[in-house]
Amino acid sequence: MPGTNCTPSTEFSFTGFTEDPVAQVLLFLMFLLIYLVSLLGNLGMITLIRASPQLHTPMYCFLGNLAFADLCSSTVITPKMLVDFLGEKRTIAYSGGVAQVFVFDLFGMTECFLLASMAYDRFVAICQPLLYSFAMSPKCCSQLVVGSYLVGLANGVGQTLSMLSLSFCSSSTIDLFFCDISPLIALSTSDTNLSHLILRTSASLFGLSSISIILVSYLAIISTLLSIRSSSGKLKAFSTCTSHLSTVSIFYGTSLFMYLKPSSDSSREDKWAAVLYTVVTPMLNPLIYSLRNKEVKEAWRR
């Protein structure tokens, strides 16, 4: 319940990682390097896909948009975190917190459905190869991409409205390095029933549906691979899925660990789980597709 002396908050404070000045400088350099690699990797992937005709296929259309989503979600968080390492005050204006919640939830959910679209693309390519040109036509590919952004937009708007319905005291301190809707709900001094309802509905409707599409697609792919007698044929078919499986494992592994792990007395583990999800994963995705994909490596050479 809000206290009688509660002044409405105009900004939020972050606890950060450490108060040790030397450790802060080292962390600043480490996260700066990670962000630069993420920035160059995702921009390079987008540019390469647009400039290489041999990469103008549905899979790389999804991959280019995945790189864009990674770029946007990391950019709304990492630069502010870098500034906080060097500044005396780790604060963000209320409007800045709203912007972080909106952009992060928009592109986070967009990435979920882009990964689901990529799984569907692999399903059609392996299980229904004769129908591939029809099922994954440019029109269908565009519809899947636009649909992913629309779902992400619906999630971003929903979580932003959830935040706007909450009240915070002026002493609000978030035990994290960015504004996420879950700690904001826990920090609120007002009724959080509506916010919890929006969060659970979004997770159930959008999150579970995207995971279900990926699981069903790969169950069908595995069933098809088991029916192939040639071991070389199995290996060739499955090799087209390895990069996507790596990306899915990293994205969902870190996000599920971040949101489903039991809360502990120390928030250090929660913060580092959030780092993996928000900062490291956008850096790894372009590296995975650059190092493991022959078509991308050949395009880089040309």
Side-chain angles (χ1 to χ4, degrees), residues 100-285:
Q100 280 195 337
V101 168
F102 174 72
V103 175
F104 181 71
D105 286 293
L106 189 162
F107 288 104
M109 190 58 69
T110 297
E111 186 163 349
C112 288
F113 278 86
L114 286 172
L115 290 173
S117 299
M118 294 168 77
Y120 174 71
D121 173 80
R122 293 299 86 200
F123 158 74
V124 177
I126 295 174
C127 302
Q128 304 289 338
L130 298 178
L131 298 177
Y132 186 80
S133 58
F134 172 76
M136 296 305 299
S137 64
K139 180 180 179 181
C140 178
C141 183
S142 298
Q143 290 174 340
L144 288 172
V145 170
V146 172
S148 298
Y149 282 107
L150 289 177
V151 172
L153 179 62
N155 183 60
V157 170
Q159 302 305 337
T160 303
L161 292 176
S162 172
M163 179 179 174
L164 294 176
S165 69
L166 300 173
S167 299
F168 305 93
C169 287
S170 58
S171 58
S172 297
T173 300
I174 303 174
D175 197 11
L176 206 60
F177 55 89
F178 72 104
C179 286
D180 190 23
I181 189 61
S182 296
L184 286 172
I185 292 175
L187 193 64
S188 175
T189 58
S190 60
D191 182 25
T192 60
N193 289 330
L194 176 61
S195 298
H196 279 296
L197 177 63
I198 294 175
L199 185 61
R200 290 166 184 164
T201 302
S202 177
S204 302
L205 185 62
F206 298 145
L208 291 180
S209 61
S210 63
I211 294 176
S212 298
I213 293 171
I214 294 173
L215 290 177
V216 170
S217 296
Y218 273 102
L219 285 175
I221 289 171
I222 292 171
S223 177
T224 300
L225 292 178
L226 292 176
S227 66
I228 299 176
R229 296 183 178 181
S230 170
S231 58
S232 60
K234 291 180 180 179
L235 183 61
K236 182 179 179 180
F238 189 74
S239 65
T240 64
C241 303
T242 53
S243 296
H244 179 254
L245 274 174
S246 300
T247 302
V248 168
S249 300
I250 293 171
F251 178 82
Y252 281 104
T254 54
S255 59
L256 290 176
F257 180 80
M258 175 181 172
Y259 289 109
L260 298 183
K261 70 178 292 294
S263 58
S264 57
D265 295 334
S266 173
S267 63
R268 186 177 297 274
E269 293 181 0
D270 296 329
K271 289 179 184 178
W272 285 108
V275 166
L276 289 174
Y277 178 64
T278 60
V279 180
V280 178
T281 299
M283 175 194 69
L284 293 178
N285 287 342

